[in-house]
Amino acid sequence: MAEVTFDHPCNQTMLWSKTDELVHQYTAKDEDKKDCFTLEDTLLGYILNDQRWCGKEGSKETFTAGCPGLDDCANGAVRSFWDRASAAFAEYACRAVTVMLNGSEEKPFYPNSTFARVEIKRLKYPKVTKLDVILVTGNNNVSNCATDNLKIDLQNALGSKIGYSCTEVSESRVTECSSSSSSTNVGCGACLLKSSE
């Protein structure tokens, strides 16, 4: 972690939970149009994304086959790596931080997610002043910005000193903004946070 530092603008940090495909579609813009960066957009995250590795008792070898999945082993090497990388990424974030959550989940602020277990605990005032929640809505919506899971659970975990906003954004708007040529100096998710015309 110390050798491969983050170098994106710290106020363009995009966290996410249960929106993997959509958030990476949004952040896959050309570098000159990029306004948000996920952990997987950084060198460290890019290189190790979707990789699996493990050790076996009695062996000094590192294996890449026959390893448990990320969610199968709470204390496994892969989960430990991503938890530590996610913690460092959240600690790097500054000013207004954005998180993309899934409105089709009963609990968009899912308690066992990396965002809830690791990242939100690393967002500290005064370095971080606001959390902008982008709640992605679609045909199977069961949550909105007024749900207790966001209004109470997430805001309690965040703490009272950090500002909070929540914007419901349709999947189609995320797709539309993914091809947008918005300026990189307007802040993370600016296209998503303004109303579509």
Side-chain angles (χ1 to χ4, degrees):
M1 301 289 164
E3 295 298 318
V4 185
T5 57
F6 302 117
D7 61 0
H8 66 283
C10 63
N11 66 321
Q12 294 181 344
T13 299
M14 171 77 87
L15 307 173
W16 59 274
S17 181
K18 298 193 179 265
T19 55
D20 187 357
E21 255 182 63
L22 215 48
V23 76
H24 292 109
Q25 174 188 330
Y26 180 76
T27 63
K29 299 176 183 180
D30 294 336
E31 284 302 315
D32 62 328
K33 297 177 185 171
K34 199 171 195 74
D35 65 346
C36 296
F37 296 81
T38 65
L39 175 56
E40 297 80 8
D41 294 321
T42 68
L43 179 61
L44 189 63
Y46 177 79
I47 291 171
L48 294 174
N49 195 28
D50 295 326
Q51 300 298 311
R52 299 286 178 259
W53 64 92
C54 60
K56 298 208 172 154
E57 198 170 329
S59 174
K60 292 183 180 185
E61 278 186 78
T62 300
F63 299 92
T64 56
C67 297
L70 185 59
D71 296 324
D72 298 332
C73 185
N75 296 320
V78 175
R79 174 81 168 265
S80 294
F81 165 79
W82 284 110
D83 281 356
R84 181 62 198 110
S86 295
F89 189 67
E91 288 167 358
Y92 177 81
C94 71
R95 299 192 291 279
V97 177
T98 306
V99 62
M100 187 179 287
L101 302 177
N102 190 335
S104 66
E105 296 290 327
E106 187 177 324
K107 292 186 175 185
F109 180 59
Y110 182 65
N112 292 328
S113 69
T114 302
F115 175 61
R117 288 182 307 98
V118 177
E119 293 168 337
I120 199 165
K121 297 172 184 177
R122 301 311 195 284
L123 302 178
K124 301 291 184 196
Y125 181 86
K127 187 175 182 186
V128 173
T129 56
K130 184 177 182 189
L131 179 68
D132 291 317
V133 173
I134 295 172
L135 186 65
V136 179
T137 60
N139 296 335
N140 302 324
N141 241 34
V142 293
S143 294
N144 59 42
C145 285
T147 188
D148 285 349
N149 178 252
L150 296 176
K151 286 186 72 165
I152 297 171
D153 301 343
L154 188 149
Q155 288 187 52
N156 283 343
L158 187 60
S160 61
K161 291 185 177 182
I162 298 176
Y164 169 86
S165 75
C166 182
T167 306
E168 295 171 27
V169 179
S170 68
E171 286 184 36
S172 60
R173 179 70 180 159
V174 175
T175 300
E176 187 181 311
C177 286
S178 297
S179 58
S180 166
S181 59
S182 65
S183 169
T184 60
N185 62 3
V186 294
C188 182
C191 178
L192 298 171
L193 296 171
K194 71 179 182 181
S195 61
S196 57
E197 299 164 5

